[in-house]
Amino acid sequence: MASDRSLVVLAFGIAAIIVCLANAEKGDIDISICENMTESNTTSCAEKIANGDSPSLVCYRMDRRHKECCETCLRYRVTGETEACRYGDGKPSECTGKDFQPSTCYYREYQTCCQTCRQYVKTDTTGKQRTQCKYGDRNPDKCMGSRFHPGQCYNKERYSCCETCPKYIRKDRNGRDLECKYEDNPKSCRGKNFDESTCYWRYRGECCHACRRRVRTFGVLKSPPTGDCKYGDRRPDFCKSLDPYDCNNNEGSCCQTCAPFQLTIKGCTYGDFPIIFDTDEGIFDCTDYLAVYGPEQCEDSLIRDKCCHTCWKSEKTKNISLLLATPLHIPDEE
């Protein structure tokens, strides 16, 4: 039985070579491309094909590796095809039927269905084949029906629904895209799960209209926040319990909460460090420590750094006292 199969494979291989040579004589195939390849000790391509494997798939995988495969596969080359699609569809059974649709070409166009997919490439307004969104929506089922809303296009336009989303772009009277070019998604932009802080990241696009209405101006604040704080604190719940000094590390997240805490003292933007002095007289913060041990403690650079606000106030009080204690000189009248 085995010897009979070997004879079949041998006959198949000889036939393939004869066809290749015949085609080569007509100028259709250049068999010289196989000359520098090594012989293979593995199962031959001719045997794989004789056993029922797809010739094109076998050839895509092995024609660049072994001389025997290269010579066998020459007969399966498709005239007029590109080198990348030299054997046509690698898996023809996957390129037809109800389960096949143009969107599958995004991940099957290379060799698997390269020949079939070419007919589904869409053209632009000039008639040229597209290079972007060339097979339409990548996930058509998510780009239609009740589950789809144009507001989702802020996140999906360039990928999943690249064909559908441009149809919903809102334009001004001059034909230019509006800043909020899609409608807001009502499921995401209303209700208790939506607040201004979400506009910084997740809903910046999907809730463009809602977020524009929530921009804060802070006109009534004595010390308005600096930088990008147009939607207030980014972490509102966390910022509620923030101490002033904590703003040194959380100013970006709590820009609105931290703004009123800011001081105009160089190197002391948010006041004293929350330090505790454990002394023989008791446990003190900066204010009580200087009250007990005197303002001269600020001459110590470490104390001055940790108690910057208290030391600044002490120095300011000292200067005022000196000023008041200085006799006012009034020149004698002539």
Side-chain angles (χ1 to χ4, degrees):
M1 189 74 172
S3 60
D4 291 341
R5 190 176 68 176
S6 298
L7 290 174
V8 171
V9 172
L10 178 61
F12 186 89
I14 294 174
I17 294 174
I18 292 174
V19 171
C20 290
L21 293 174
N23 288 337
E25 289 179 1
K26 295 187 291 183
D28 295 332
I29 298 175
D30 181 11
I31 62 174
S32 64
I33 62 176
C34 306
E35 290 179 355
N36 296 325
M37 294 187 181
T38 59
E39 298 288 349
S40 171
N41 294 324
T42 61
T43 304
S44 70
C45 285
E47 186 174 356
K48 285 179 175 292
I49 294 171
N51 288 337
D53 289 358
S54 165
S56 53
L57 189 60
V58 170
C59 290
Y60 278 128
R61 292 175 177 173
M62 303 183 69
D63 71 341
R64 292 289 187 262
R65 297 164 58 187
H66 308 302
K67 182 176 181 181
E68 178 273 326
C69 284
C70 179
E71 292 174 344
T72 297
C73 290
L74 288 175
R75 66 176 300 198
Y76 295 104
R77 280 181 171 260
V78 179
T79 304
E81 277 294 346
T82 62
E83 186 64 16
C85 193
R86 55 191 178 276
Y87 302 114
D89 292 338
K91 295 182 179 180
S93 61
E94 296 185 12
C95 307
T96 57
K98 62 179 182 179
D99 293 331
F100 179 83
Q101 53 185 337
S103 60
T104 59
C105 288
Y106 282 111
Y107 54 91
R108 289 183 180 173
E109 65 177 346
Y110 179 70
Q111 295 183 351
T112 303
C113 298
C114 58
Q115 191 172 20
T116 296
C117 285
R118 188 176 295 111
Q119 63 182 299
Y120 292 106
V121 176
K122 295 180 177 291
T123 56
D124 57 23
T125 54
T126 65
K128 295 182 179 179
Q129 289 189 338
R130 296 180 189 172
T131 55
Q132 301 292 329
C133 198
K134 62 181 183 178
Y135 299 115
D137 293 335
R138 286 174 168 80
N139 199 335
D141 293 338
K142 290 187 177 181
C143 305
M144 61 183 70
S146 59
R147 296 180 60 186
F148 174 77
H149 188 279
Q152 298 169 347
C153 287
Y154 285 107
N155 301 322
K156 296 182 177 180
E157 176 185 3
R158 296 184 180 180
Y159 193 77
S160 300
C161 303
C162 58
E163 177 82 7
T164 297
C165 285
K167 299 174 183 178
Y168 292 96
I169 293 178
R170 298 153 60 95
K171 298 181 179 293
D172 61 19
R173 64 183 60 186
N174 296 317
R176 294 173 297 192
D177 292 356
L178 294 174
E179 181 180 354
C180 293
K181 59 182 181 179
Y182 297 111
E183 297 177 12
D184 284 355
N185 187 346
K187 294 182 180 179
S188 303
C189 310
R190 300 173 187 170
K192 62 181 181 180
N193 293 325
F194 174 77
D195 61 60
E196 293 89 336
S197 64
T198 59
C199 290
Y200 283 112
W201 52 90
R202 182 178 176 185
Y203 297 118
R204 188 181 303 176
E206 196 170 5
C207 298
C208 183
H209 293 279
C211 288
R212 288 186 67 181
R213 293 193 294 268
R214 301 293 183 94
V215 174
R216 300 185 178 187
T217 59
F218 302 104
V220 297
L221 287 183
K222 183 178 179 180
S223 300
T226 58
D228 182 12
C229 195
K230 61 183 179 180
Y231 300 116
D233 293 335
R234 287 169 168 78
R235 302 169 63 190
D237 294 336
F238 167 78
C239 300
K240 289 177 182 177
S241 59
L242 209 65
D243 291 326
Y245 191 85
D246 293 330
C247 288
N248 283 298
N249 298 321
N250 296 286
E251 183 179 19
S253 298
C254 304
C255 55
Q256 181 179 352
T257 296
C258 290
F261 296 148
Q262 289 185 0
L263 303 174
T264 57
I265 305 171
K266 185 177 180 180
C268 191
T269 306
Y270 291 108
D272 294 341
F273 185 83
I275 191 172
I276 296 297
F277 296 94
D278 189 358
T279 72
D280 294 338
E281 301 294 331
I283 298 176
F284 306 116
D285 60 11
C286 286
T287 301
D288 293 337
Y289 181 76
L290 293 188
V292 173
Y293 290 97
E296 60 271 14
Q297 298 298 319
C298 290
E299 295 176 6
D300 185 315
S301 60
L302 179 61
I303 301 295
R304 190 169 59 251
D305 179 59
K306 299 300 182 183
C307 299
C308 59
H309 190 206
T310 300
C311 286
W312 176 86
K313 289 189 293 184
S314 176
E315 183 69 22
K316 186 177 181 181
T317 302
K318 178 181 177 182
N319 291 337
I320 293 175
S321 299
L322 289 173
L323 180 62
L324 293 175
T326 302
L328 182 62
H329 176 71
I330 302 177
D332 296 334
E333 295 183 4
E334 295 183 357

